[in-house]
Amino acid sequence: MSQFAINILFVGASFALYIGIAIWAKAGSTKDFYVAGGGVHPITNGMAIGADWMSAASFISMAGLIAAGGYANSTFLMGWTGGYVLLALLLAPYLRKFGKFTVPEFIGDRFYSRTARMVAVVCLIVASLTYVIGQMAGAGVAFSRFLEVDATTGLIIAAVVVFFYSVLGGMKGITYTQVAQYIVLIVAYTIPAVFISLELTGNPLPPLGLFSDHSASGEPLLAKLNEVVTALGFNAYTAMVDNQLNMVLFTLSLMIGTAGLPHVIMRFFTVPKVADARWSAGWALVFIGLLYLTAPAVASMARLNLMTTIYPDMAGQVENYDAAASNAIAYGDRPDWIRTWEETGLITFEDKNNDGNIQFYNDSTDFSDRGWQGNELTVNNDILVLANPEIANLPGWVIGLIAAGGLAAALSTAAGLLLAISSAISHDLIKGAINPNITERGELKAARISMSIAIVVATYLGANPPGFAAQVVALAFGIAAASLFPALMMGIFSKRVNNKGAIAGMLSGLTFTLVYIFVYKGWFFIPGTNNLADTPENWVLGISPLSIGAVGAIINFAVAYLVSKSSEEPPLEIQELVESVRYPKGAGGAVNH
């Protein structure tokens, strides 16, 4: 059976499962659509949170970025993991006790203001739409390779599949679909990692293999990787970053952005009790940890495999790396996996010195003495995890499995984000402000229509994303960090912050962060509209657009505090409400106001 047929079999079977679950769990009420009826078991919910959490950025792009940047890009791993702990401890149980469907509804009630609710809707839509762009882009990358179509066609196929199981099933369909997707993605991620760890280190456990000896050379794996990449002009894989301020701000932005993500927060309303929300968080951390402990090993091994594929003499004991680097493979002898990925346009080759060989190195380093005239191979970071089984010559069924896993990761998170967007529009905007008397059937129809429109917009923007999947997701986290997280934290832990302060804080944090991002990434992410090149020398104080969310959050907190201190205190009943949320005394089911 051909590899294409195997891919079709795995991907087709998984999609049939997802759509079948959506039909079985079709939402018949707004409660089913928004919170899956409020009766999901904590373990089931934890697994669904894990799938919702581990998006295309985690499955496809994070390991690729760590592979490319080494320790410098481990901030993605630290920020996302730390942020989930922050969310589980500081926000989720209290928001579940409050008992509302959506984040804007909490903000509107806590800050006793329809305007605050509408501002929260805007913040939610901007953050979620930016996030879903990354997911759709990641799905397009996966489809383009495994279904052997161009990236745009892959993107459209992904949109159609998401449309069916999201619009039909709502949260109820998405929850049970995401359980299936978690199983698919975690198996798909770990099986190739086990094979590759065994091949490179002899250790079947990838997290331990990362710190084991490299079989071919006898050196520690990371030491071997450092030698290979530095010989090709790259920074040492384990080197400390120069701009530590930016690294700290980026990690902080990912952490607090994580805690402000509405599509994950909504998951804690799907369980019957506050205690179940806490258990869901614990189980989700277990399920997330299985992948996140494996990702650094996958990244390191993928980078070493890629380099030694291009320079085979570097794989074993090396006396002279200059000599090993002079013996790169000929372009005509490139392995099949490079040929396959070239068809997608995600690997490109240009023979700059016309020697017929592939030179893959950091061309900011002068290697003219080797006869090199520039890097000749461009590899998209988002392909490394997907290409890993092919690089390591693993069986065809493993490649088919990782195809299904990559798509499951992208589509599961896309579905959760689209649900957050549709609930913000139908429940918070239409029912909360435009037409409070809308019927439940009308609200459900509005939710499905708004989700359909969001899919179309996300698909269009996903065709021209402002960066790799993980980078686009980092922008979304920054937006959530600067807008929603401070309002949620102050709403739970401060009785003094009032409606004026919350509104001013959200608007200032969101505006500052978006303007900074658009200056470097293009206005509204439209290519070619940026004012400055997105390079370190142009960043203010060396702060990247990916890190600016932390600064936006500080501005949000400061503005909200100052405006609240200079205006009247919140009403007494609101202060009592904050007390009741902070000190658990039991909670009823999530209610639809």
Side-chain angles (χ1 to χ4, degrees):
M1 185 181 292
S2 70
Q3 186 59 57
F4 178 74
I6 293 172
N7 294 343
I8 290 292
L9 180 64
F10 274 84
V11 173
S14 63
F15 282 6
L17 175 64
Y18 306 152
I19 293 172
I21 290 172
I23 294 171
W24 165 73
K26 183 177 179 180
S29 66
T30 52
K31 190 172 185 181
D32 281 346
F33 193 88
Y34 294 138
V35 292
V40 178
H41 191 278
I43 297 179
T44 303
N45 197 45
M47 200 174 290
I49 292 170
D52 220 349
W53 181 256
M54 290 182 292
S55 62
S58 290
F59 189 98
I60 297 173
S61 197
M62 180 178 66
L65 283 170
I66 296 174
Y71 175 75
N73 281 342
S74 65
T75 46
F76 285 95
L77 191 68
M78 295 184 290
W80 284 335
T81 309
Y84 179 78
V85 175
L86 196 65
L87 169 64
L89 293 178
L90 294 183
L91 293 181
Y94 303 108
L95 292 173
R96 173 61 189 85
K97 187 174 190 299
F98 197 83
K100 296 296 176 68
F101 282 157
T102 67
V103 168
E105 192 172 19
F106 166 79
I107 290 175
D109 284 9
R110 160 59 184 87
F111 296 109
Y112 51 98
S113 168
R114 181 177 293 181
T115 302
R117 185 172 179 172
M118 293 306 101
V119 171
V121 167
V122 172
C123 296
L124 183 151
I125 291 174
V126 172
S128 298
L129 195 56
T130 305
Y131 199 161
V132 82
I133 291 170
Q135 305 314 305
M136 300 307 285
V141 169
F143 270 115
S144 66
R145 162 61 187 93
F146 295 113
L147 298 186
E148 298 180 14
V149 296
D150 61 77
T152 302
T153 304
L155 193 60
I156 294 169
I157 296 171
V160 171
V161 174
V162 170
F163 174 84
F164 271 102
Y165 75 77
S166 300
V167 174
L168 274 177
M171 180 63 90
K172 187 176 180 182
I174 288 170
T175 295
Y176 295 105
T177 299
Q178 285 177 334
V179 171
Q181 286 171 327
Y182 175 79
I183 294 170
V184 170
L185 74 87
I186 198 65
V187 170
Y189 202 86
T190 52
I191 285 180
V194 168
F195 273 110
I196 293 166
S197 183
L198 272 171
E199 183 179 295
L200 289 182
T201 69
N203 194 317
L205 298 177
L208 298 181
L210 177 63
F211 301 102
S212 300
D213 288 342
H214 179 234
S215 299
S217 66
E219 299 179 66
L221 181 78
L222 289 174
K224 176 65 177 177
L225 181 53
N226 274 338
E227 290 176 359
V228 170
V229 296
T230 53
L232 296 171
F234 298 99
N235 289 333
Y237 192 79
T238 56
M240 173 59 77
V241 297
D242 295 329
N243 188 343
Q244 294 185 33
L245 170 64
N246 187 66
M247 185 177 188
V248 169
L249 288 176
F250 182 53
T251 305
L252 181 61
S253 181
L254 291 180
M255 284 182 65
I256 62 178
T258 294
L261 287 177
H263 73 292
V264 177
I265 290 173
M266 285 178 68
R267 282 254 156 248
F268 294 99
F269 297 121
T270 65
V271 292
K273 299 177 295 186
V274 175
D276 292 334
R278 295 180 187 276
W279 277 109
S280 293
W283 279 109
L285 196 56
V286 171
F287 294 130
I288 290 167
L290 292 176
L291 188 144
Y292 272 48
L293 287 172
T294 306
V298 169
S300 306
M301 294 171 189
R303 181 75 179 274
L304 186 57
N305 261 335
L306 177 61
M307 294 300 188
T308 54
T309 296
I310 306 301
Y311 300 97
D313 290 355
M314 290 189 179
Q317 283 282 356
V318 178
E319 296 293 332
N320 186 334
Y321 272 100
D322 281 340
S326 67
N327 194 23
I329 62 168
Y331 180 67
D333 296 333
R334 67 196 185 281
D336 288 341
W337 71 266
I338 292 182
R339 299 173 191 265
T340 305
W341 281 99
E342 279 182 306
E343 293 173 8
T344 70
L346 299 172
I347 289 182
T348 56
F349 171 75
E350 179 187 0
D351 193 359
K352 294 180 179 179
N353 62 352
N354 297 312
D355 68 348
N357 295 331
I358 300 175
Q359 274 85 50
F360 182 47
Y361 70 105
N362 179 10
D363 54 12
S364 63
T365 304
D366 183 14
F367 283 127
S368 55
D369 57 322
R370 297 178 181 175
W372 297 353
Q373 297 179 14
N375 177 57
E376 298 176 347
L377 193 71
T378 302
V379 181
N380 186 303
N381 286 337
D382 284 348
I383 76 166
L384 279 182
V385 170
L386 300 178
N388 230 357
E390 298 168 275
I391 296 173
N393 295 314
L394 299 184
W397 66 268
V398 180
I399 297 171
L401 184 63
I402 207 164
L407 294 170
L411 299 181
S412 61
T413 302
L417 290 162
L418 291 165
L419 182 64
I421 293 170
S422 72
S423 62
I425 294 172
S426 60
H427 189 67
D428 295 303
L429 182 61
I430 295 176
K431 184 170 184 176
I434 298 173
N435 183 11
N437 298 319
I438 190 173
T439 64
E440 182 170 306
R441 184 173 181 179
E443 186 181 349
L444 194 57
K445 183 178 179 181
R448 286 180 166 140
I449 291 172
S450 58
M451 184 180 283
S452 303
I453 295 171
I455 290 172
V456 173
V457 173
T459 304
Y460 172 76
L461 294 173
N464 293 288
F468 301 115
Q471 292 173 322
V472 180
V473 168
L475 294 175
F477 278 63
I479 294 167
S483 57
L484 293 174
F485 174 76
L488 292 170
M489 284 293 290
M490 290 183 289
I492 293 170
F493 294 102
S494 173
K495 294 188 291 184
R496 183 62 184 86
V497 177
N498 60 19
N499 54 355
K500 294 183 180 68
I503 293 168
M506 285 189 289
L507 288 175
S508 57
L510 178 67
T511 303
F512 169 82
T513 303
L514 282 179
V515 168
Y516 193 89
I517 289 172
F518 289 159
V519 164
Y520 297 99
K521 295 292 186 181
W523 290 86
F524 305 101
F525 299 129
I526 298 172
T529 61
N530 56 304
N531 302 93
L532 295 171
D534 188 14
T535 55
E537 54 268 20
N538 287 329
W539 298 340
V540 178
L541 300 178
I543 301 173
S544 160
L546 302 181
S547 310
I548 200 64
V551 180
I554 294 169
I555 291 172
N556 187 332
F557 275 115
V559 169
Y561 177 78
L562 293 173
V563 171
S564 297
K565 287 294 274 185
S566 61
S567 54
E568 70 282 354
E569 289 189 358
L572 184 60
E573 62 269 21
I574 296 298
Q575 297 186 45
E576 292 174 348
L577 177 65
V578 174
E579 284 285 326
S580 70
V581 168
R582 288 222 309 269
Y583 298 101
K585 297 177 183 177
V591 293
N592 179 3
H593 292 294

PDB file of all heavy atoms in Angstrom, residues 47 198 284:
ATOM      1  N   MET A  47      -9.338  15.271  29.702  1.00  0.00           N
ATOM      2  CA  MET A  47      -8.806  14.839  28.413  1.00  0.00           C
ATOM      3  C   MET A  47      -9.195  15.823  27.310  1.00  0.00           C
ATOM      4  O   MET A  47      -8.398  16.136  26.418  1.00  0.00           O
ATOM      5  CB  MET A  47      -9.322  13.430  28.083  1.00  0.00           C
ATOM      6  CG  MET A  47      -8.481  12.705  27.054  1.00  0.00           C
ATOM      7  SD  MET A  47      -9.006  10.980  26.822  1.00  0.00           S
ATOM      8  CE  MET A  47      -8.482  10.277  28.382  1.00  0.00           C
ATOM      9  N   LEU A 198      14.903   5.450  20.623  1.00  0.00           N
ATOM     10  CA  LEU A 198      15.571   4.147  20.585  1.00  0.00           C
ATOM     11  C   LEU A 198      16.688   4.139  19.542  1.00  0.00           C
ATOM     12  O   LEU A 198      17.791   3.649  19.783  1.00  0.00           O
ATOM     13  CB  LEU A 198      14.561   3.045  20.268  1.00  0.00           C
ATOM     14  CG  LEU A 198      13.825   2.406  21.443  1.00  0.00           C
ATOM     15  CD1 LEU A 198      12.704   1.503  20.937  1.00  0.00           C
ATOM     16  CD2 LEU A 198      14.783   1.615  22.324  1.00  0.00           C
ATOM     17  N   ALA A 284      -6.194  17.240  33.519  1.00  0.00           N
ATOM     18  CA  ALA A 284      -5.692  17.894  32.298  1.00  0.00           C
ATOM     19  C   ALA A 284      -4.187  18.081  32.369  1.00  0.00           C
ATOM     20  O   ALA A 284      -3.471  17.893  31.371  1.00  0.00           O
ATOM     21  CB  ALA A 284      -6.389  19.238  32.098  1.00  0.00           C
TER      22      ALA A 284
END
